[in-house]
Amino acid sequence: MADLSKYRNIGIFAHVDAGKTTSTERILKLTGKIHKTGEVHDGAATTDFMEQEAERGITIQSAATTCFWNDHRLNIIDTPGHVDFTVEVYRSLKVLDGGVGVFCGSGGVEPQSETNWRYANESEVSRLIFVNKLDRLGADFYRVVDQVKKVLGATPLVMTLPIGTEDDFVGVVDVLSQKAYIWDESGQPENYEVTDIPADMVDDAAAYREELIETALEQDDELLMAYMEGEEPTVEQIKECIKKGTHNLSFFPTYCGSAFKNKGIQLVLDAVVDYLPAPTEVPAQPLTDSETGEPTGEVATVSTEEPLRALAFKIMDDRFGALTFIRIYSGVMRKGDTILNSYTGKTERIGRMVEMHADDRTELDYAQAGDIIAVVGMKNVQTGHTLCDVKNPCTLEPMIFPEPVISIAVQPKDKGGNEKMGVAIGKMVAEDPSFVVETDQETGETILKGMGELHLDIKVDILKRTYGVELIVGQPQVAYRETITQAVEDSYTHKKQSGGSGQFGKIDYRIKPGEPNSGFKFESTVVGGNVPKEFFPAIEKGFEGMMEEGPLAGFPVLDVEVELYDGGFHAVDSSAIAFEIAAKGAFRQSMPKAGPQLLEPIMKVDVFTPEDNVGDVIGDLNRRRGMIKDQEAGATGVRIKGDVPLAEMFGYIGHLRTITSGRGQFSMEFSHYAACPANVAEEVIAAEKEKKANK
């Protein structure tokens, strides 16, 4: 059995273009896993193996790979940076024990880095920070360190300082050992020498060392007291304190370098081994009740002695069949074992198990607690399912995925494409839980729903290239919602008498607007048994079932509270179904009186623009009904943050590139629903009515 203290499960995450994939490539080269380094801009990076990734130079799905450094086994996941794929980052963080946040030396803490950082905080993942691209124009390590403090509200523990900047960047100073690492111009990572610190940096390096020691020793009161009295701790003691503080998220060891130029990566790898937690050093995953989803108080202890507990965190379809990526939390999994999927209650036999290296694989006979592996050909396993020992069923904490905000209608160009599209979409939905597919009951159209334009764009591209399905794509549609603005008190009686037993149900109720994001709430304050208790669930079901279609344009309704306060029943004719029908009729009768209102999704938009174009960009966002929240000047341009309705953001990237001569960038993510202005609401409602009339 392998020694778990020598395992590190880490993720590399950051903003688009900060250099995550390049950093991963360099790590693989350094650890001897690959012999020739692939470049992202040539479309040859090891972990970007999808055609769409190589072409666009971005990472779309997280790729897993394993390598070794200083006798330690590193399982590395390279995650995407683009906001439309944050679900990939989220699910990777779920199964990792530590991470490396990569920031661009000139771009600094960018919008997407904030989202990923927030996810990592929620998942309580220990992290190192690597400030990359210090050889680039406008790179400034100290400014990025400041942004980490201000924008992310985190404490960076500076471990290395850059020697030179931009074109003159030659190496780094290791603050702890007070030595300089200087690389030559060959671009080979192993060609460096360890020398004394350059004379002009000696004072800075000493000051940072003092700050490092003081921050680290806050983890150990005795050492801190001794240090205050002039007793210097040993390097081992300092390292122990850094490790402790990294594990409990007090601070984040911060390194610098240039992955592309192969400078500074060794020190990051050493830090992964020294400071990031082994699987046994992170809090064990809680187990939950499979019925209610509530924690049971038990945990999956990381040990090979325990029963098997593993989480399927990703499904991927490749040329060898379906791959299920699994993180094993406890126990051992062997080839040929029969395991239980606690979500479906079905058992499956483990056929082939493989260790992944991006697109290649090594066959395994067994895997154990702490491992991240893939199993080939599992039938009914979906993302977030727990796989466990048949005799010891359990459920690990599941994953929660965001709701899609944008949809498009698609249909195959030729008749024969329908079946092909169905099979392909089935596989794609299994792979990506934030991608939802529905069929419009009335028109029979297939509706694809996703997190943003790029997300759906890539899905259509995959359908076309990977599965050979040519599609006709409709206009993007916004996921509007409806709500109410006034409270209404009303009564409704459902009576039907036609030979035999009749139906009777009378309800007196109040409908009022709920708190934002509260969904649907139902309560009963009936006293004296005018409506018997056994009919309450039917009344609730009637109202809730109607929430799918609002009174204005048939969009789903949000945030409504219904209170049942009185009613009447008939000893013979009343039944659950009669009360359910009464509730449905009541909804239809009262909702139009309650000041119904159309809601639209508002996106948190973060635009980067050169200074010369700030006025144009802000003017344009205002025309798009945007609310500007903040703007801050950086070294290379200005970031403008605001809230803008999704309906106004279609095709924005093309427009932004036009006004900024191709230099602008932006990212957006769903923020909240807000009321539509009357003129917009009228247009949307009219368009929906026309659509229904034409069907």
Side-chain angles (χ1 to χ4, degrees):
M1 291 290 167
D3 176 0
L4 283 177
S5 67
K6 296 269 179 22
Y7 271 57
R8 298 288 180 274
N9 290 318
I10 62 166
I12 295 189
F13 57 94
H15 183 80
V16 178
D17 249 10
K20 297 175 298 301
T21 302
T22 306
S23 301
T24 309
E25 282 291 305
R26 297 304 181 261
I27 289 172
L28 297 179
K29 173 80 170 67
L30 259 179
T31 53
K33 190 76 188 188
I34 53 177
H35 301 295
K36 174 183 174 296
T37 333
E39 297 305 349
V40 176
H41 50 252
D42 299 336
T46 313
T47 51
D48 283 357
F49 50 84
M50 285 169 66
E51 278 178 38
Q52 289 81 0
E53 295 181 306
E55 219 168 79
R56 295 171 193 241
I58 59 172
T59 306
I60 294 169
Q61 48 181 13
S62 34
T65 183
T66 302
C67 57
F68 291 85
W69 182 256
N70 287 358
D71 290 342
H72 284 65
R73 173 195 177 107
L74 312 183
N75 290 323
I76 301 175
I77 294 189
D78 173 28
T79 63
H82 199 286
V83 66
D84 286 9
F85 309 107
T86 31
V87 56
E88 286 285 335
V89 180
Y90 170 73
R91 62 165 154 203
S92 303
L93 282 168
K94 178 92 179 128
V95 296
L96 295 170
D97 306 324
V100 179
V102 181
F103 297 108
C104 170
S106 59
V109 177
E110 293 169 284
Q112 194 50 42
S113 352
E114 285 180 58
T115 310
N116 292 344
W117 196 263
R118 195 174 68 236
Y119 278 159
N121 283 344
E122 285 167 11
S123 306
E124 296 184 352
V125 172
S126 306
R127 276 148 284 167
L128 306 175
I129 292 172
F130 177 53
V131 180
N132 188 18
K133 299 196 179 183
L134 285 183
D135 52 324
R136 269 179 70 166
L137 202 64
D140 182 344
F141 173 68
Y142 301 99
R143 190 184 73 243
V144 181
V145 169
D146 267 355
Q147 284 184 330
V148 168
K149 292 179 190 162
K150 286 193 191 115
V151 181
L152 302 178
T155 306
L157 185 71
V158 176
M159 304 292 289
T160 60
L161 303 173
I163 302 173
T165 57
E166 299 180 358
D167 287 347
D168 304 326
F169 174 68
V170 291
V172 299
V173 168
D174 181 355
V175 175
L176 196 54
S177 68
Q178 293 283 298
K179 289 286 180 203
Y181 287 68
I182 303 207
W183 278 264
D184 64 17
E185 283 312 298
S186 67
Q188 294 304 320
E190 47 281 350
N191 293 359
Y192 66 90
E193 51 180 349
V194 181
T195 64
D196 290 333
I197 298 173
D200 60 343
M201 290 185 69
V202 171
D203 295 348
D204 272 2
Y208 271 100
R209 186 169 199 265
E210 198 168 311
E211 192 183 313
L212 186 155
I213 293 174
E214 283 175 11
T215 310
L217 294 190
E218 283 172 9
Q219 302 296 319
D220 187 321
D221 293 343
E222 281 176 28
L223 288 176
L224 187 60
M225 294 306 289
Y227 180 67
M228 292 297 188
E229 286 160 17
E231 193 182 317
E232 171 96 1
T234 65
V235 169
E236 282 314 308
Q237 286 172 325
I238 298 170
K239 280 187 158 183
E240 204 44 52
C241 287
I242 296 174
K243 184 175 177 177
K244 188 177 169 192
T246 307
H247 287 197
N248 62 28
L249 309 187
S250 301
F251 47 71
F252 304 92
T254 300
Y255 292 80
C256 61
S258 159
F260 184 55
K261 295 274 172 62
N262 270 319
K263 293 173 184 170
I265 300 281
Q266 287 93 333
L267 294 150
V268 178
L269 283 172
D270 288 343
V272 166
V273 167
D274 288 344
Y275 307 129
L276 287 181
T280 47
E281 293 172 322
V282 290
Q285 280 285 323
L287 299 178
T288 56
D289 184 306
S290 54
E291 298 294 314
T292 62
E294 294 297 313
T296 57
E298 289 180 73
V299 293
T301 313
V302 180
S303 154
T304 49
E305 307 298 312
E306 293 276 314
L308 173 72
R309 297 181 174 121
L311 185 72
F313 68 95
K314 181 177 164 59
I315 314 277
M316 204 172 88
D317 208 67
D318 76 353
R319 58 185 190 275
F320 301 103
L323 282 175
T324 306
F325 283 82
I326 292 172
R327 162 78 198 259
I328 302 175
Y329 285 108
S330 60
V332 176
M333 187 186 272
R334 290 187 176 80
K335 202 170 158 174
D337 278 0
T338 297
I339 54 153
L340 173 72
N341 175 344
S342 66
Y343 182 83
T344 58
K346 293 186 173 140
T347 54
E348 292 217 23
R349 194 164 162 277
I350 299 287
R352 288 169 53 211
M353 293 181 354
V354 293
E355 180 183 286
M356 293 302 292
H357 172 51
D359 211 9
D360 288 332
R361 62 206 50 209
T362 316
E363 297 272 341
L364 300 172
D365 286 331
Y366 80 92
Q368 61 173 40
D371 275 335
I372 291 180
I373 57 149
V375 177
V376 183
M378 295 193 101
K379 300 277 186 301
N380 301 312
V381 178
Q382 298 281 344
T383 300
H385 286 184
T386 301
L387 308 176
C388 56
D389 184 32
V390 180
K391 297 193 190 74
N392 292 285
C394 70
T395 306
L396 288 156
E397 201 174 43
M399 301 180 174
I400 300 149
F401 296 108
E403 291 288 313
V405 290
I406 172 174
S407 60
I408 49 174
V410 297
Q411 59 192 68
K413 279 194 176 157
D414 49 58
K415 289 230 164 66
N418 253 334
E419 195 174 319
K420 225 155 92 180
M421 180 175 84
V423 174
I425 282 178
K427 288 180 177 173
M428 287 161 68
V429 170
E431 285 177 19
D432 179 356
S434 63
F435 175 56
V436 178
V437 179
E438 290 172 1
T439 305
D440 186 315
Q441 294 305 325
E442 292 170 7
T443 61
E445 284 178 322
T446 302
I447 311 285
L448 309 185
K449 297 184 171 186
M451 305 308 297
E453 271 185 293
L454 178 68
H455 190 195
L456 293 180
D457 193 20
I458 297 225
K459 295 296 180 205
V460 170
D461 200 33
I462 292 173
L463 278 167
K464 181 171 156 185
R465 273 204 252 177
T466 312
Y467 297 104
V469 183
E470 289 279 349
L471 294 176
I472 301 166
V473 180
Q475 284 298 310
Q477 299 295 321
V478 179
Y480 289 102
R481 295 284 181 266
E482 297 182 23
T483 190
I484 52 171
T485 54
Q486 296 155 14
V488 173
E489 195 168 299
D490 214 339
S491 173
Y492 188 89
T493 307
H494 168 65
K495 217 161 47 180
K496 190 175 171 209
Q497 201 68 49
S498 56
S501 64
Q503 288 180 355
F504 181 84
K506 173 177 187 292
I507 52 175
D508 298 335
Y509 53 91
R510 296 182 187 97
I511 292 183
K512 61 178 184 205
E515 291 292 310
N517 298 326
S518 61
F520 170 74
K521 278 193 179 151
F522 176 81
E523 65 165 341
S524 161
T525 51
V526 178
V527 283
N530 287 349
V531 178
K533 272 202 177 62
E534 66 260 31
F535 297 138
F536 294 171
I539 296 168
E540 180 173 358
K541 185 179 162 203
F543 275 113
E544 196 168 8
M546 297 295 283
M547 294 282 289
E548 283 302 301
E549 281 197 32
L552 285 172
F555 293 113
V557 182
L558 296 181
D559 310 332
V560 170
E561 288 182 22
V562 175
E563 178 200 346
L564 176 72
Y565 67 89
D566 204 358
F569 78 107
H570 186 286
V572 179
D573 292 352
S574 282
S575 62
I577 191 85
F579 275 103
E580 191 180 324
I581 294 170
K584 288 181 170 171
F587 184 94
R588 275 193 291 267
Q589 169 181 295
S590 303
M591 286 299 275
K593 304 178 194 170
Q597 186 178 49
L598 198 65
L599 300 175
E600 59 181 349
I602 304 293
M603 307 304 278
K604 204 156 81 185
V605 176
D606 202 321
V607 186
F608 173 84
T609 163
E611 259 172 58
D612 310 349
N613 309 110
V614 172
D616 297 343
V617 169
I618 288 182
D620 180 56
L621 287 173
N622 285 334
R623 273 195 300 283
R624 292 171 188 270
R625 302 193 280 121
M627 288 271 296
I628 307 297
K629 288 282 180 67
D630 186 25
Q631 61 186 74
E632 87 192 42
T636 50
V638 178
R639 273 178 65 186
I640 299 162
K641 295 182 177 188
D643 289 347
V644 189
L646 174 64
E648 305 289 342
M649 290 300 288
F650 291 132
Y652 179 63
I653 187 67
H655 194 75
L656 177 68
R657 283 183 184 144
T658 308
I659 47 184
T660 59
S661 319
R663 289 162 64 202
Q665 291 178 341
F666 88 107
S667 79
M668 65 177 183
E669 58 177 317
F670 173 70
S671 170
H672 61 280
Y673 274 100
C676 252
N679 57 336
V680 177
E682 280 165 19
E683 279 176 29
V684 173
I685 293 165
E688 280 302 304
K689 287 194 169 142
E690 190 180 328
K691 215 157 87 186
K692 291 199 165 95
N694 291 338
K695 282 176 184 175

